[in-house]
């Protein structure tokens, strides 16, 4: 008799513990969902598609957890501290809706990440869990609830007519059970006999409850033991059949996901795997889709990087027809003008030859900072043939930065842009170039001129163009490619593709006062480190 009761209590307790585990699993799937955490941590901006994301991606996370579960969850609530997100869908509320309630305040004061609590006014047990990011940012509280009657429903069919199954709370009061067990018995131990009945009970620690069973002690236990044994065997067989069905359904879903993944690979990663579940299989499908997006993005970036680099050297490649003839001709002109006493013209020819050699050197995508500055100084000396003392140039910076590598053809087009748009209304145009290191050990290059400046509206358009690319706003003539060099738009695209999207051009200007162009480039000494390298990710 005692053995049968022990087995029955064990089965009942396992059933209750299993339901608690399923409720906690649903809570974990929601609270640790990366997409939900990112949504709760960011400002809600309708113009940026936050409402579409709310409806199409965030709402289903809670909806599927509520609809597709095996324990009759009554409600799932998210109490969020980000009040820029609108409440709605029956599950998303501000934390102010829960503040002031005993269960919420006691949970927030505790140092626990999660625990169970009974809410009498709802007649439900709730599993509370704090939503915290990997970085430790607190985003709110999730509450997954199951009604008491649904949690204990399996106890109704678990006892015979002469026995009773009951649930006792911490104070010893019976809160659930058949009528035979509704009278409070003075049972304090896990097992005892009292007034002709045997009482056995076992704790459910997570709910601070005791599940127990009482049964009259008969004079003859033979037939009853046989009946109990038969019932126990039937319960085991039923459990095995149920487990087999659940396992069969799980493998069917796994095979379906694998077929979808194979199809996506065969079609060139163009089709996403449908995510129809909110369990571990759904998480695997979601991660696979994330991997597909990353692969497509990397392939696109590689194609764009190569295209931008080829475009940047197109004019130089076109000029490589018989380069020795061009060099020899320039050297001949330089020598003739020097013999004629035209030293300034001779130096201009020499500078032009140096620039031509630099532009035609297609062996490398990179140059040192010193080579880029030398290229700018050659260009300045040529322009001074036209503008004379009206054009001045100076640069400053640590000599240790001169050997740092950067992609070619970056500085001269910016200086050219300053001269083109800044000297027309100035008696003297001063262009300064400063090179320093920031706190992240990155090289910061600042080019400033005292030209005519840029209007506030045009500066805004330039900022949007540099941050988001040419598809966002109409292209401006100040950033288009011209017949004399590479435009600022080309430079910005090359910087973003080689170093990452965070390394875009930044411009500051006050109309009729100055224009300042700011470049941030990762420090790198050895060229080999760039080979097959991915763009930097600075966030």
């Amino acid at each position: 008799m005692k053995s049968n009761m022990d087995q029955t209590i064990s089965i009942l307790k396992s059933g209750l513990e299993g339901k608690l585990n399923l409720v906690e699993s649903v809570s974990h799937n929601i609270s640790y969902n990366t997409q939900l955490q990112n949504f709760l941590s960011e400002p809600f901006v309708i113009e940026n598609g936050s409402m579409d994301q709310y409806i199409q991606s965030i709402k289903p996370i809670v909806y599927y957890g509520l609809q597709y579960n095996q324990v009759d969850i009554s409600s799932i609530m998210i109490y969020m501290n980000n009040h820029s997100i609108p409440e709605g869908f029956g599950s998303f509320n501000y934390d102010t809706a829960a503040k002031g309630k005993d269960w919420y305040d006691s949970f927030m004061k505790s140092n626990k990440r999660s625990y169970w609590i009974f809410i009498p006014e709802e007649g439900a047990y709730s599993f509370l869990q704090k939503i915290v990011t990997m970085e430790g940012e607190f985003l709110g509280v999730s509450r997954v609830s199951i009604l008491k009657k649904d949690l204990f429903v399996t106890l109704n069919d678990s006892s015979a007519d002469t026995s009773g199954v009951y649930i006792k709370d911490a104070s010893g009061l019976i809160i659930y059970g058949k009528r035979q067990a509704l009278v409070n018995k003075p049972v304090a131990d896990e097992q005892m006999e009292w007034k002709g009945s045997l009482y056995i009970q076992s704790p459910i620690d997570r709910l601070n409850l005791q599940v127990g069973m009482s049964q009259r002690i008969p004079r003859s236990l033979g037939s009853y033991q046989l009946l109990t044994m038969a019932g126990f065997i039937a319960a085991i067989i039923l459990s095995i059949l149920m487990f087999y069905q659940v396992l069969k359904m799980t493998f069917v879903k796994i095979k379906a996901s694998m077929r979808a993944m194979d199809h996506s690979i065969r079609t060139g990663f163009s089709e996403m795997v449908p995510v129809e579940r909110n369990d571990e299989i759904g998480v695997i499908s979601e991660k696979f889709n994330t991997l597909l997006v990353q692969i497509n993005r990397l392939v696109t970036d590689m194609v764009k990087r190569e295209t931008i680099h080829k475009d940047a050297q197109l004019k130089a490649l076109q000029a490589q027809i018989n380069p020795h003839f061009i060099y020899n001709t320039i050297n001949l002109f330089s020598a003739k003008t020097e013999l004629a006493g035209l030293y300034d013209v001779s130096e201009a020819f020499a500078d032009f030859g140096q620039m031509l050699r630099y532009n035609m050197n297609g062996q490398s995508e990179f140059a040192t900072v010193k080579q880029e500055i030398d290229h700018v100084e050659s260009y300045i000396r040529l322009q001074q043939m036209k503008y004379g003392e009206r054009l001045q140039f100076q640069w400053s910076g640590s000599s240790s930065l001169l050997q740092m590598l950067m992609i070619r053809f970056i500085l001269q087009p910016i200086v050219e842009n300053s001269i083109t748009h800044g000297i027309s209304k100035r008696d003297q145009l001063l262009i300064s170039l400063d090179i320093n290191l920031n706190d992240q050990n990155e090289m910061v290059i600042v080019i400033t001129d005292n030209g005519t400046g840029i209007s506030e509206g045009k500066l805004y358009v330039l900022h949007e163009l540099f941050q988001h690319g040419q598809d966002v706003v109409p292209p401006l003539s100040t950033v288009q490619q011209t017949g004399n060099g590479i435009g600022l738009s080309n430079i910005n695209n090359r910087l973003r593709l080689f170093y990452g999207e965070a390394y875009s051009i930044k411009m500051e200007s006050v109309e009729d006062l100055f224009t300042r162009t700011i470049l941030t480039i990762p420090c790198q000494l050895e060229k080999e480190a760039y080979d097959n390298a991915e763009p930097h990710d600075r966030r």
Side-chain angles (χ1 to χ4, degrees), residues 252-286:
V252 168
K253 292 293 183 180
I254 292 176
K255 290 180 179 179
S257 296
M258 292 178 64
R259 287 195 297 269
M261 292 178 185
D262 289 338
H263 179 70
S264 178
I265 294 172
R266 288 195 300 270
T267 56
F269 309 107
S270 59
E271 296 185 15
M272 298 292 103
V273 176
V275 181
E276 301 175 350
R277 299 167 63 97
N278 200 30
D279 54 10
E280 287 76 7
I281 298 175
V283 172
I284 293 174
S285 299
E286 183 178 337

Side-chain angles (χ1 to χ4, degrees), residues 306-422:
E306 186 64 23
T307 301
I308 290 295
H309 176 64
K310 295 301 180 183
D311 289 343
Q313 294 194 1
L314 179 59
K315 294 181 181 179
L317 292 174
Q318 292 173 344
Q320 285 184 342
I321 301 175
N322 199 4
H324 291 290
F325 169 75
I326 298 175
Y327 298 151
N328 292 337
T329 302
I330 291 174
N331 290 334
L332 177 61
F333 289 160
S334 177
K336 287 292 186 180
T337 53
E338 184 175 1
L339 291 174
L342 301 175
Y343 299 109
D344 53 347
V345 178
S346 175
E347 291 179 358
F349 273 120
D351 290 331
F352 179 69
Q354 289 297 328
M355 292 185 66
L356 194 61
R357 287 179 182 272
Y358 186 77
N359 286 334
M360 289 184 175
N361 181 15
Q363 300 300 318
S364 173
E365 300 175 356
F366 303 95
T368 64
V369 174
K370 184 178 186 307
Q371 289 173 329
E372 279 285 284
I373 294 176
D374 290 343
H375 186 55
V376 170
E377 289 182 328
S378 296
Y379 175 75
I380 289 292
R381 286 193 291 268
L382 282 178
Q383 292 297 317
Q384 285 174 339
M385 291 288 294
K386 176 180 179 181
Y387 297 108
E389 295 297 324
R390 290 183 60 199
L391 177 62
Q392 298 294 324
F393 172 77
Q394 63 184 23
W395 72 272
S396 62
S398 173
S399 59
S400 61
L401 300 178
L402 296 180
Q403 298 306 314
M404 295 294 177
L405 288 179
M406 60 186 294
I407 54 178
R408 293 159 56 87
F409 310 117
I410 296 297
L411 301 184
Q412 182 270 330
I414 298 175
V415 172
E416 178 180 355
N417 189 71
S418 295
I419 296 174
T420 302
H421 300 283

Side-chain angles (χ1 to χ4, degrees), residues 126-169:
S126 295
F127 182 71
L128 307 178
Q129 186 159 201
K130 296 174 183 176
I131 304 176
V132 182
T133 65
M134 295 294 293
E135 294 75 20
E137 179 185 2
F138 174 73
L139 302 177
V141 173
S142 66
R143 177 163 74 98
V144 182
S145 302
I146 181 172
L147 296 177
K148 182 175 72 172
K149 64 182 182 63
D150 293 330
L151 179 62
F152 299 149
V153 67
T154 54
L155 303 181
N156 291 333
D157 302 322
S158 300
S159 58
D161 293 337
T162 57
S163 64
V165 176
Y166 58 88
I167 300 291
K168 295 176 63 176
D169 62 14

Side-chain angles (χ1 to χ4, degrees), residues 83-100:
H83 292 186
S84 68
I85 302 173
E87 297 176 298
F89 307 117
S91 297
F92 293 87
N93 297 283
Y94 297 148
D95 53 5
T96 53
K99 287 182 178 178

